[in-house]
Amino acid sequence: MAKQGPPPPRSSRMPEPRRRGPGWSDPDAADEDGELPPWAGLGIDPRWADRPSGPGRPSGPGRRSGSGRPGGSGRPSGPGRPSGPARPGGPDSDGGIDGPRGRPRGRLAAARARKTRRGLFFWASVVAVLVVIGGGTWLLLPGKSTPAPLPGQIVSSFLPGEFQTVPNACSAVSTATLDQYLPGTRTKVVPNSVDGQSDSLCDWTLDAKPLYRLLDVEAQAYAPNGLASGDGSATFAAIDAYRQAVAEKASPPKASHLPKATVDTMRGLGSAAFSAFQVSTAGGDTTDLLTVVVRDRNVLITVVLEGLDRSSTGGYGPVSAAQLKAGALKAAQDILARVK
């Protein structure tokens, strides 16, 4: 047996790596990217411990890029792996990764949808605010009128063209009218009104033999009333009052002790007008009464001019019915001209 000597000294110099030429290929590296095992499936991307997986993994010293690998870009295909386009889920697949950062297309679509919904919500909010501001401005505008009611709807407010106030009855009848039909020294009485500016009354009395005259005027603006006919508007309330005045002249209540009147319709005065003439006898006195009633929309003007035809004490009369009618008509026209 040959005697063995001591082992040769080790060199501290590390062996140089083999230089790799442009046509070099590493069979171990080829095996590394070779065919996947059957249990891996087509959708599984193999991972190695020393580098990340997926299309975004960087190439470096530990992994050769596709350009330095034989066969051009991409991993060489093995016998069980078909070559061609990228794997499902790669950059060119329909439902996989979109863009260099690997963001799913579904998430991008959802983000775009959310942005669109936010834009629609913003503009819808802007439109709603503008509508509210415009409606509030319209409600606060002066002179705003209430819209016409729908059929069958009960009106609870004044309609366009209706009046809420009436002129002062005492100042509405002109001095010229009073001097013509009640000449002389007159006594004026102003009855109190419980309806404020919607009702005004005034009386003048002339007692100078052989004349005795009493002029009684009233102007009233009716308000909407749910008990009125029609839609309950102020105009219908005035129409009801006008009809009631006609009925009371044609058939006076027993408590009035007045005879039935001769009622005549008057044309061209307000919305509707009539006159009524009555002769009353009581205690030996005979009094002629001439009434004129005019309706202008929801305003009712009532004028009564009385004349003492005969008196038990004597000294009064006679009275002209035509003159009474002319005086009552002129006073009604004076008030009507002041209704605004």
Side-chain angles (χ1 to χ4, degrees), residues 71-114:
S73 63
R75 188 185 295 123
S77 55
R81 184 181 188 119
S83 62
R87 294 193 308 269
D92 298 328
S93 62
D94 292 337
I97 299 176
D98 186 8
R101 301 168 71 179
R103 187 173 186 180
R105 292 181 181 176
R107 294 180 60 189
L108 287 176
R112 286 194 294 268
R114 284 194 299 270

Side-chain angles (χ1 to χ4, degrees), residues 150-247:
L150 298 175
Q153 182 180 2
I154 298 300
V155 175
S156 58
S157 58
F158 288 92
L159 297 178
E162 294 180 336
F163 303 99
Q164 302 185 39
T165 61
V166 293
N168 184 285
C170 294
S171 59
V173 179
S174 66
T175 303
T177 299
L178 295 174
D179 290 341
Q180 182 177 358
Y181 297 100
L182 283 81
T185 303
R186 299 175 294 269
T187 302
K188 183 174 71 173
V189 177
V190 183
N192 293 327
S193 173
V194 297
D195 296 323
Q197 295 184 338
S198 64
D199 190 18
S200 182
L201 304 91
C202 199
D203 297 339
W204 293 268
T205 302
L206 173 65
D207 189 356
K209 289 183 180 181
L211 296 178
Y212 179 87
R213 298 288 186 271
L214 174 61
L215 179 62
D216 182 6
V217 300
E218 178 181 9
Q220 182 175 1
Y222 285 81
N225 191 334
L227 300 179
S229 61
D231 57 10
S233 64
T235 298
F236 271 100
I239 291 174
D240 293 345
Y242 179 88
R243 291 171 178 172
Q244 183 178 0
V246 175

Side-chain angles (χ1 to χ4, degrees), residues 8 21 40 57 63 132 195 231 256:
R57 63 185 177 224
R63 179 171 180 85
V132 171
D195 296 323
D231 57 10
S256 67

Side-chain angles (χ1 to χ4, degrees), residues 213 277 288 309 318-325:
R213 298 288 186 271
F277 180 70
D288 295 347
D309 191 22
V319 176
S320 168
Q323 189 181 29
L324 293 179
K325 184 175 182 179

Side-chain angles (χ1 to χ4, degrees), residues 40 141 295 324:
L141 285 176
R295 181 184 68 82
L324 293 179

Side-chain angles (χ1 to χ4, degrees), residues 281-325:
T281 302
D285 295 337
T286 302
T287 305
D288 295 347
L289 298 90
L290 198 293
T291 303
V292 172
V293 178
V294 180
R295 181 184 68 82
D296 185 16
R297 282 170 278 191
N298 65 311
V299 173
L300 207 63
I301 300 171
T302 303
V303 179
V304 180
L305 183 55
E306 300 182 12
L308 186 58
D309 191 22
R310 287 191 304 273
S311 172
S312 58
T313 59
Y316 292 97
V319 176
S320 168
Q323 189 181 29
L324 293 179
K325 184 175 182 179

Side-chain angles (χ1 to χ4, degrees), residues 11-78:
S11 174
S12 59
R13 186 176 167 185
M14 297 295 293
E16 293 184 3
R18 290 177 295 176
R19 297 188 179 275
R20 300 171 181 176
W24 176 89
S25 63
D26 189 356
D28 294 337
D31 292 341
E32 183 179 83
D33 291 335
E35 180 180 355
L36 297 176
W39 51 265
L42 295 178
I44 298 178
D45 189 8
R47 303 189 179 199
W48 290 266
D50 58 346
R51 57 184 177 272
S53 63
R57 63 185 177 224
S59 60
R63 179 171 180 85
R64 293 175 300 279
S65 63
S67 60
R69 197 181 267 176
S73 63
R75 188 185 295 123
S77 55

